[in-house]
């Protein structure tokens, strides 16, 4: 199933998805847009963020289950909106009510990241029931460039290592190739994430308007 009012930004760490969420927020102020992220800010996502920071060590298979559990709350849970335009949970309900929901990461992250350490079968099985977005923007960037951005932040997570990001980018390519071969109704849009934030923002907004 494809959710017609659902848009997802994906890419390796440091690709710039969070910056573009912020810029899109500015363009859509006052419109029926909600913005969200994975892991969520619900209790399930808060636990996952502790794992990503390295505070809670977990085996890869456990992490895959937990990401899927957080996603279940994110998509099918009750509608919870924090402030005027931040969606915590309830993607399906929000879309049904006429909102356009834009998520920074979704199941494609699980298929790419979790497949590195525990193979593709488990993440694929755990995520096969979730609805797909109408638009998937993939932020394409060389891992060396994206990690230089990450390192400038001064704080890294467990996946933010050169070798792991190289493998993750390759895994993303396989994930995109898989979905491009299917007739899902989801449109995949690749963008050059090395362009200026303004250029990328204009590119994204043009495609959102064209596919409204």
């Amino acid at each position: 199933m494809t959710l017609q009012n659902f848009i997802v930004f994906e890419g390796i760490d440091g690709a710039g998805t969070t910056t573009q969420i912020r810029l899109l927020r500015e363009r859509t102020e006052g419109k029926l847009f909600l913005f969200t992220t994975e892991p969520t800010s619900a209790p399930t996502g808060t636990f996952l963020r502790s794992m990503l920071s390295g505070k809670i060590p977990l085996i890869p298979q456990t992490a895959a289950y937990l990401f899927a559990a957080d996603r279940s709350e994110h998509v099918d849970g009750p509608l919870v909106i924090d402030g005027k335009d931040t969606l915590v949970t309830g993607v399906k309900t929000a879309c049904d009510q006429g909102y356009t929901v834009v998520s920074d990461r979704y199941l494609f992250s699980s298929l790419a990241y979790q497949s590195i350490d525990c193979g593709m079968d488990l993440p694929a099985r755990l995520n096969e029931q979730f609805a797909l977005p109408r638009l998937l923007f993939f932020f394409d960037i060389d891992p060396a460039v994206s990690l230089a951005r990450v390192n400038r932040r001064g704080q890294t997570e467990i996946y933010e290592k050169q070798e792991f990001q190289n493998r993750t980018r390759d895994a993303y390519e396989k994930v995109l190739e898989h979905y491009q071969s299917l007739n899902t109704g989801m449109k995949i849009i690749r963008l050059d994430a090395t362009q200026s934030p303004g250029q990328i923002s204009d590119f994204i907004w043009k495609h959102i308007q064209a596919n409204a």
Side-chain angles (χ1 to χ4, degrees):
M1 182 180 71
T2 301
L3 291 177
Q4 292 304 304
N5 294 350
F6 191 29
I7 299 169
V8 170
F9 291 178
E10 284 281 2
I12 62 174
D13 293 279
T17 58
T18 304
T19 296
Q20 291 305 319
I21 290 284
R22 176 178 57 79
L23 293 175
L24 185 57
R25 253 191 165 112
E26 295 172 0
R27 286 184 185 266
T28 58
E29 188 171 1
K31 299 180 173 65
L32 284 178
F33 273 73
L34 292 173
F35 297 88
T36 189
T37 188
E38 290 193 357
T40 68
S41 56
T44 47
T46 300
F47 181 86
L48 273 171
R49 291 187 185 279
S50 293
M51 183 274 293
L52 289 170
S53 71
K55 294 178 181 177
I56 302 176
L58 297 172
I59 63 171
Q61 291 81 1
T62 300
Y65 278 105
L66 289 172
F67 275 105
D70 185 50
R71 186 162 298 120
S72 182
E73 286 296 309
H74 192 206
V75 176
D76 297 314
L79 180 62
V80 177
I81 299 174
D82 183 12
K84 63 180 180 179
D85 64 356
T86 299
L87 179 73
V88 179
T89 59
V91 170
K92 275 187 181 177
T93 300
C95 288
D96 288 344
Q97 291 185 5
Y99 289 99
T100 295
V101 178
V102 185
S103 183
D104 187 355
R105 298 196 177 281
Y106 189 49
L107 65 86
F108 313 98
S109 286
S110 283
L111 296 177
Y113 280 79
Q114 268 66 68
S115 68
I116 303 301
D117 287 329
C118 64
M120 181 58 80
D121 289 348
L122 179 61
R125 178 161 50 84
L126 292 174
N127 289 280
E128 63 185 357
Q129 81 275 20
F130 293 114
L132 295 174
R134 174 173 56 90
L135 296 179
L136 169 59
F137 287 93
F138 178 66
F139 289 56
D140 195 13
I141 191 168
D142 187 294
V145 177
S146 65
L147 282 176
R149 295 176 176 178
V150 169
N151 290 332
R152 284 196 292 270
R153 294 195 317 233
Q155 184 176 0
T156 59
E157 295 182 338
I158 60 172
Y159 296 138
E160 294 171 342
K161 305 290 188 294
Q162 181 76 56
E163 181 183 357
F164 192 93
Q165 290 297 310
N166 288 341
R167 295 173 66 190
T168 303
R169 187 190 187 190
D170 292 341
Y172 263 124
E173 292 293 346
K174 293 177 183 177
V175 170
L176 295 178
E177 183 180 348
H178 169 72
Y179 280 103
Q180 284 171 336
S181 70
L182 303 175
N183 184 23
T184 64
M186 175 179 68
K187 184 174 183 179
I188 300 173
I189 302 168
R190 300 177 70 107
L191 59 87
D192 178 1
T194 64
Q195 295 184 96
S196 72
Q199 288 175 310
I200 296 171
S201 180
D202 289 343
F203 178 88
I204 290 170
W205 185 236
K206 179 185 72 175
H207 280 280
I208 289 177
Q209 290 182 305
N211 290 276

